[in-house]
Amino acid sequence: MTDRYASFVQSGAGRALVKRLGLPDPPRLRRHRPGDPLLPGPVLLGAAAGGRLVEPVGKLLTAAGVELREPATATSGDGTGQRYGALVYDATGITDSTGLRQLYDFFHPAARSVTPSGRVVVLGTPPAECAAPREATAQRALEGLTRSIGKEFGRGVTAQLVHVTRDGDDGTLTSLEATLRFLLSGRSAYVSGQVIRIGAGRATAPADWERPLDGQVVLVTGAARGIGAALAGVLARDGARVVALDVPSAGDALAAVANEIGGTAVQLDLTAPDAPPRLADHLASRHGRVDVVVHNAGITRDRTLGRMDADRWDQVIDVNLSSQERINDVLLERELIPTGGRIVSVSSIAGIAGNRGQTNYATSKAGVIGLVDSLAPALRDRGISVNAVAPGFIETRLTARIPLVIREAGRRMNSMAQGGLPVDVAETIGWLAWPASGAVSGNVVRVCGQSLLGA
């Protein structure tokens, strides 16, 4: 689906009109292309006094081929006219509210020096792990900073807060590298204003970061169209052997997706009583395991609650939530998801903010968040991570059916002033699926361009 307004804005006449009338100005987003450098410019790397992550982060970024620059004095700015591909700041040394001034001292001189589609990443300590209430208070304050930067810097610049556990291990550093590689690259074009938690856990760096899923067996449900088809393509590009699943009625489209990526197709109605054991038997016989399970299959049956029949309610809950639980139960019971495995579910900002006419859908997607919250700690000892993504307005055939006024509101009511693409959701799921992301668990990452809904 084409966003004609965004295309018009990119023209000379469009740019002049937008500037004159103060209309939304969708930037051209930097998206990942294989072989691209991680960033279009150097990283300005800074730290609060006593920061514990600046040294390892500097080493990780240097190893990734990123040029590093140190900040100038807070009072003078850098005075060089240098443009930065990203600003990265280690705020773990801030232990009380007075220390928050160090954020101003770092970001104020550099705020106008970030390139279009640049990146801002702040590293902090999970407030729950802080030694004293004042430290926890200061660390919680970082969320306000990053979310405001995401709305303020514009031009496609994204901003994130990454909480890194104090009780880290080698897996923590590996997952920190994976997270930085995702957040700084074009893969995260439509992800902004997020808080990502990195704990301790099993994580393995790839031999080639261009193929971070090399050799992994990945199941994608709902793979015939839209986000699912884009997801299958991204995972295959990253080296995975993709098992693409969808309902029999989508068989032709599913086969086309599987053939294009060199994967295999499975036609199965996930709501059938025998679907979980049949799927488990297939994975066991064909592959012996499934390293990553991506629960993407979902439906909508919209109607206001007072006008909704019971079948609409039951169908949405069954497909979007209950089927995920049943499949997880069987695959985990049979130990087909090995140590180091990944479960990634697709939620929605409707599950966070709610949506008129979608009580069934919002309930199911909030339930997916509950699934992540409950399974992540339960599977930690088995080395299996569980996360979810929550898409906002994504340009698909489903959103193309939304009435024009509502569709335009969905596109513009975010920091990017545009809808996302299926590939944006796919890239985020891909990062969560990487073996290097094993210490990233229990997260719900919104892929919404920092939507104003639920913000």
Side-chain angles (χ1 to χ4, degrees):
M1 180 171 57
T2 301
D3 184 345
R4 294 181 181 178
Y5 175 82
S7 299
F8 172 70
V9 166
Q10 300 300 329
S11 68
R15 296 218 59 79
L17 186 64
V18 163
K19 186 175 182 180
R20 185 182 311 121
L21 299 181
L23 296 173
D25 186 6
R28 192 183 301 276
L29 302 183
R30 173 174 62 95
R31 289 186 167 92
H32 175 73
R33 294 178 302 179
D36 279 354
L38 198 61
L39 284 162
V43 168
L44 183 66
L45 177 62
R52 60 186 169 85
L53 295 173
V54 63
E55 183 177 348
V57 165
K59 292 178 180 178
L60 293 175
L61 293 178
T62 299
V66 173
E67 181 185 355
L68 299 182
R69 299 289 175 85
E70 295 182 358
T73 62
T75 55
S76 66
D78 66 24
T80 65
Q82 173 69 60
R83 304 285 283 176
Y84 300 110
L87 311 179
V88 178
Y89 189 76
D90 175 12
T92 58
I94 299 177
T95 57
D96 61 36
S97 59
T98 62
L100 296 172
R101 172 57 190 268
Q102 297 174 83
L103 299 171
Y104 173 87
D105 291 342
F106 175 78
F107 285 106
H108 171 68
R112 300 182 182 183
S113 301
V114 184
T115 60
S117 281
R119 303 289 186 255
V120 175
V121 177
V122 176
L123 306 168
T125 300
E129 294 184 10
C130 291
R134 285 179 179 267
E135 182 182 7
T137 299
Q139 290 296 313
R140 178 61 177 79
L142 300 176
E143 291 188 34
L145 172 82
T146 52
R147 287 181 171 145
S148 296
I149 287 175
K151 295 177 178 179
E152 188 175 292
F153 279 22
R155 299 173 299 118
V157 175
T158 66
Q160 328 287 349
L161 172 60
V162 180
H163 282 154
V164 184
T165 183
R166 273 202 173 101
D167 301 322
D169 52 19
D170 290 343
T172 303
L173 282 179
T174 299
S175 290
L176 177 57
E177 179 177 9
T179 300
L180 289 172
R181 283 179 176 269
F182 169 70
L183 294 178
L184 296 177
S185 74
R187 298 175 189 265
S188 61
Y190 204 60
V191 176
S192 190
Q194 299 305 290
V195 181
I196 294 163
R197 299 186 304 276
I198 302 177
R202 179 188 297 265
T204 305
D208 180 0
W209 282 100
E210 284 292 321
R211 292 179 60 83
L213 286 167
D214 204 22
Q216 297 283 290
V217 178
V218 181
L219 169 69
V220 179
T221 70
R225 300 182 181 88
I227 292 172
L231 177 56
V234 164
L235 298 176
R237 178 203 70 195
D238 286 354
R241 290 181 284 164
V242 178
V243 180
L245 182 150
D246 217 313
V247 292
S249 60
D252 290 344
L254 181 67
V257 169
N259 289 337
E260 183 177 352
I261 65 171
T264 59
V266 177
Q267 297 182 28
L268 186 64
D269 180 354
L270 294 177
T271 65
D274 63 343
R278 285 177 58 193
L279 176 58
D281 290 344
H282 174 84
L283 293 169
S285 63
R286 293 289 297 271
H287 303 284
R289 71 186 195 282
V290 56
D291 299 294
V292 182
V293 177
V294 182
H295 293 292
N296 170 69
I299 61 172
T300 57
R301 297 290 185 268
D302 296 351
R303 193 70 63 84
T304 57
L305 186 57
R307 297 178 181 274
M308 184 183 299
D309 58 81
D311 284 345
R312 288 175 183 263
W313 179 275
D314 292 340
Q315 289 172 20
V316 169
I317 299 297
D318 197 20
V319 173
N320 296 3
L321 179 59
S322 300
S323 68
Q324 294 191 23
E325 295 177 309
R326 293 191 294 265
I327 290 168
N328 288 342
D329 287 347
V330 171
L331 296 181
L332 290 169
E333 181 182 351
R334 296 195 186 183
E335 298 186 345
L336 287 171
I337 304 176
T339 298
R342 310 278 179 265
I343 298 173
V344 187
S345 293
V346 177
S347 180
S348 168
I349 63 168
I352 297 170
N355 202 13
R356 186 182 187 278
Q358 289 193 317
T359 52
N360 51 359
Y361 183 77
T363 300
S364 69
K365 294 302 186 178
V368 168
I369 295 172
L371 181 151
V372 169
D373 289 343
S374 59
L375 270 187
L379 296 179
R380 185 175 295 120
D381 289 344
R382 293 177 61 172
I384 298 172
S385 72
V386 186
N387 296 283
V389 298
F393 187 97
I394 304 297
E395 303 280 359
T396 66
R397 62 185 179 87
L398 295 178
T399 52
R401 299 173 184 171
I402 297 173
L404 176 62
V405 173
I406 298 175
R407 185 167 70 239
E408 282 302 301
R411 283 172 168 160
R412 310 306 163 208
M413 291 179 63
N414 61 75
S415 295
M416 305 297 171
Q418 61 192 284
L421 302 180
V423 70
D424 297 321
V425 182
E427 296 282 16
T428 307
I429 292 173
W431 154 61
L432 294 170
W434 295 350
S437 298
V440 181
S441 191
N443 289 265
V444 178
V445 181
R446 290 170 53 166
V447 187
C448 62
Q450 198 178 15
S451 172
L452 302 182
L453 296 175

